[in-house]
Amino acid sequence: MWQGHAVRSPIKKQKMGNIKFRMLLLPTLLCIQAQLYAQQTRTESDLLGEKQIDANAYYGVQTARALENFQVSGVPTKFYPDYVRAYAMVKLAAARANTEVGRMKPETLAAIEKACQAIMDGKYHDQFLVDMYQGGAGTSANMNANEVIANVALELSGHKKGEYNIIEPHDDLNMGQSTNDVYPTTIHVALLLHNDKLVSEAKALSASFHKKGDQFNTVLKMGRTEGQDAVPMTVGQEFHAFGNQLDGAIDVLIKSEAYLCDVNMGATAIGTGITASPGYAEKCVAQLAKITGKPMVLAHDLVAATSSMQAFVMYSSALKNFAITLSKISSDLIFLTSGPRAGVFEINLPALQPGSSIMPGKVNPVMAELMNEVCYKAIGNDVTVSMASQDGLLQLNAYEPVVAVAIMETQALFYKTMPLFRKNCIDGITLNEKVLEHYMNRSVGIVTALNPVLGYEKTTELAKEALESGKGILELIREKKLLTEKQIKDLLDPVKLTSPTGPTKFKE
């Protein structure tokens, strides 16, 4: 302001001109932007109305809504590749069965087969984006699969995504199906596929324990019961026992697959088979068996199979049994390596990293601890499966998604952790033989082996004197000249002392 009058500078006039120019251009710019956006999206609709979908996306409107509604764990379906492959296998089996009963056109099947095979080969997995946690008993996951397979089939057949008048996610990909039979069947297949990998790693871990058993088969040690000295054994027997315990748990995992092979495809909504063609269910399961290479069978009561989650409970229980077995072994290893000066210290686990930020020289049994953590999580996941399974209401259990999350997480954790545990822990175990020998010479537990030679009364006196004097049993025997050195050596022969039938061998 100058003497009450406004003075407009040339610069301010120029800015005002620019603003007016931009205001005039704004409608044109908005129109261009709208055209560009329209080119980058496609319009799809469902019962809630229209929605713009990324033009490059193979999923459709129902997946898009699920992506907005279920932003929970950040873990999408694609996190589990076998789960994605399982969807392709189930949808392929359904399409083939529908063609066999004369309901699906052969050309539609051909397009769907190409799409499913591509997904089974590992392609398009990035389009399976629905969060593993979801409401609706898995409807969003099923529709994600239907939409992706439909659009992949369209594109591979020379059509554009979204041309559902040719191949439609509901009418074609969900033909004669419901989420209520597709979703549990897909989870069954996914668990079966991953169980093969899990069992393979478990067998490799067991073999490592048996290999150590063979390596340490003649090294004597004191066995312990209730944390107290018991009777002599070999370190080899101890490690073969670890391996055999795992073998038993692996056997349970394999046997539990029978429950997963029993599926309810063809049940549709509640088990009555509404919308499915006659003969479809049997043909679908037969195709699924052929595709998966597993002995899939149709449940004898589809209503029962649709409302019950017994198969998941049984398989999860097998995983829990495996976890308990592996955790017990891990804890035993932690106990046996305790020390080095104030613990048991019979074995050495590989030193992988410094164990403390304050205590110099400390090294912790980190891999055995890691294995325990995974086992605890597996046991907790089994509780989740149990609770979700018991709370299903009437003809459907809406909590199948959290059951899938729990079991698949357990499988994945074991599959990733077992190789680390094997390579970084078990394979590198060494013995502290002087410590083992010291315990053998000092332990009172060895008197049990002397019972047949000296009698119960005499060995009891020796045990009492050893405890009171702090001397070892063998030391007292030599002092009292109760046995010759040859007799002592003969009694301490590892084969005779630990197994009347000879040392334990690893059975291939």
Side-chain angles (χ1 to χ4, degrees):
M1 299 291 291
W2 181 257
Q3 293 181 347
H5 299 283
V7 179
R8 299 195 178 191
S9 68
I11 294 174
K12 192 167 184 179
K13 287 181 180 179
Q14 183 179 353
K15 286 183 179 179
M16 290 295 293
N18 288 340
I19 290 171
K20 289 180 179 178
F21 179 71
R22 285 198 295 269
M23 290 291 288
L24 290 171
L25 280 179
L26 184 59
T28 305
L29 291 171
L30 289 173
C31 183
I32 293 172
Q33 186 179 24
Q35 290 175 351
L36 288 172
Y37 181 71
Q39 291 172 3
Q40 295 170 356
T41 63
R42 65 177 187 270
T43 303
E44 291 196 15
S45 61
D46 58 12
L47 65 88
L48 299 183
E50 291 187 344
K51 191 168 184 62
Q52 296 301 308
I53 309 297
D54 184 341
N56 295 316
Y58 288 89
Y59 59 79
V61 60
Q62 288 195 233
T63 302
R65 295 198 192 281
L67 295 178
E68 295 172 352
N69 294 334
F70 306 125
Q71 297 181 23
V72 183
S73 68
V75 178
T77 307
K78 69 175 182 178
F79 186 81
Y80 298 103
D82 287 332
Y83 185 31
V84 177
R85 293 188 184 97
Y87 269 113
M89 291 177 175
V90 171
K91 293 297 176 179
L92 176 57
R96 286 178 176 174
N98 277 313
T99 303
E100 285 185 40
V101 298
R103 188 171 176 183
M104 180 174 284
K105 296 177 182 178
E107 56 268 29
T108 304
L109 170 63
I112 290 173
E113 280 188 322
K114 288 180 184 178
C116 289
Q117 188 59 57
I119 292 167
M120 287 158 60
D121 291 340
K123 300 175 183 177
Y124 305 102
H125 283 213
D126 62 334
Q127 298 297 302
F128 289 77
L129 298 172
V130 175
D131 197 291
M132 291 294 291
Y133 286 87
Q134 56 192 270
T139 297
S140 296
N142 181 35
M143 285 308 303
N144 190 177
N146 288 336
E147 291 172 344
V148 170
I149 296 172
N151 281 309
V152 171
L154 284 168
E155 194 170 77
L156 292 179
S157 302
H159 302 285
K160 294 180 180 179
K161 302 184 191 75
E163 290 190 66
Y164 296 144
N165 59 310
I166 300 169
I167 298 176
E168 213 277 333
H170 291 90
D171 294 338
D172 295 312
L173 270 301
N174 211 58
M175 181 183 289
Q177 302 160 58
S178 164
T179 294
N180 302 347
D181 56 3
V182 168
Y183 189 68
T185 298
T186 300
I187 300 171
H188 281 214
V189 172
L191 297 181
L192 286 166
L193 295 177
H194 207 69
N195 197 55
D196 288 343
K197 300 173 183 178
L198 187 66
V199 166
S200 178
E201 281 297 341
K203 286 182 175 179
L205 178 58
S206 171
S208 289
F209 279 109
H210 284 301
K211 186 177 180 180
K212 287 296 173 183
D214 287 341
Q215 182 182 342
F216 304 145
N217 217 17
T218 59
V219 181
L220 281 173
K221 66 162 287 177
M222 285 305 301
R224 296 178 179 86
T225 58
E226 299 174 84
Q228 306 297 304
D229 297 354
V231 296
M233 66 184 302
T234 67
V235 180
Q237 286 176 316
E238 190 165 47
F239 275 79
H240 275 306
F242 291 151
N244 286 324
Q245 289 170 46
L246 273 180
D247 291 338
I250 292 167
D251 189 52
V252 173
L253 274 176
I254 294 171
K255 288 178 178 176
S256 69
E257 286 191 356
Y259 296 96
L260 296 173
C261 289
D262 195 84
V263 296
N264 72 329
M265 281 302 288
T268 65
I270 64 171
T272 60
I274 191 171
T275 77
S277 300
Y280 160 81
E282 293 79 7
K283 293 181 184 300
C284 183
V285 174
Q287 285 290 344
L288 192 58
K290 189 183 298 184
I291 294 165
T292 62
K294 295 290 184 179
M296 312 301 292
V297 295
L298 185 65
H300 76 278
D301 185 334
L302 293 180
V303 175
T306 305
S307 63
S308 170
M309 294 206 289
Q310 188 178 73
F312 296 129
V313 172
M314 296 302 293
Y315 181 69
S316 181
S317 295
L319 286 173
K320 180 184 70 173
N321 177 65
F322 185 77
I324 290 171
T325 301
L326 200 46
S327 180
K328 195 268 183 191
I329 293 170
S330 299
S331 295
D332 284 350
L333 295 176
I334 292 170
F335 178 74
L336 291 171
T337 195
S338 60
R341 298 293 174 84
V344 176
F345 201 50
E346 290 185 354
I347 66 173
N348 300 301
L349 303 183
L352 299 179
Q353 61 187 59
S356 174
S357 61
I358 186 174
M359 293 172 279
K362 191 171 186 288
V363 178
N364 296 328
V366 291
M367 294 312 300
E369 291 170 345
L370 172 65
M371 195 73 255
N372 261 341
E373 290 177 17
V374 169
C375 290
Y376 302 154
K377 182 61 176 172
I379 294 166
N381 280 343
D382 180 67
V383 174
T384 298
V385 172
S386 299
M387 294 181 67
S389 297
Q390 75 181 24
D391 283 340
L393 189 62
L394 299 177
Q395 279 69 57
L396 178 69
N397 194 312
Y399 305 118
E400 282 178 320
V402 76
V403 168
V405 169
I407 301 179
M408 289 183 193
E409 180 184 39
T410 294
Q411 282 187 324
L413 286 171
F414 275 136
Y415 180 66
K416 292 178 181 178
T417 307
M418 280 193 291
L420 300 176
F421 186 49
R422 170 169 53 86
K423 296 172 185 176
N424 297 335
C425 184
I426 309 307
D427 288 347
I429 289 175
T430 58
L431 301 183
N432 294 314
E433 295 197 35
K434 289 185 178 179
V435 173
L436 291 162
E437 184 181 356
H438 170 76
Y439 290 151
M440 279 293 300
N441 289 334
R442 300 289 295 175
S443 175
V444 175
I446 201 170
V447 296
T448 305
L450 302 175
N451 276 347
V453 179
L454 300 177
Y456 182 81
E457 186 175 344
K458 189 64 178 177
T459 53
T460 302
E461 291 176 4
L462 283 171
K464 182 179 180 182
E465 185 176 347
L467 290 170
E468 290 176 350
S469 66
K471 295 180 179 180
I473 292 293
L474 296 180
E475 184 181 354
L476 289 173
I477 288 174
R478 288 186 173 103
E479 283 183 4
K480 297 175 183 295
K481 297 181 180 180
L482 297 174
L483 296 171
T484 66
E485 286 298 321
K486 184 179 182 303
Q487 287 175 311
I488 292 173
K489 184 178 180 181
D490 190 52
L491 281 169
L492 294 181
D493 180 278
V495 175
K496 295 179 180 178
L497 190 63
T498 62
S499 178
T501 58
T504 304
K505 292 294 183 182
F506 171 31
K507 295 180 180 179
E508 295 285 354

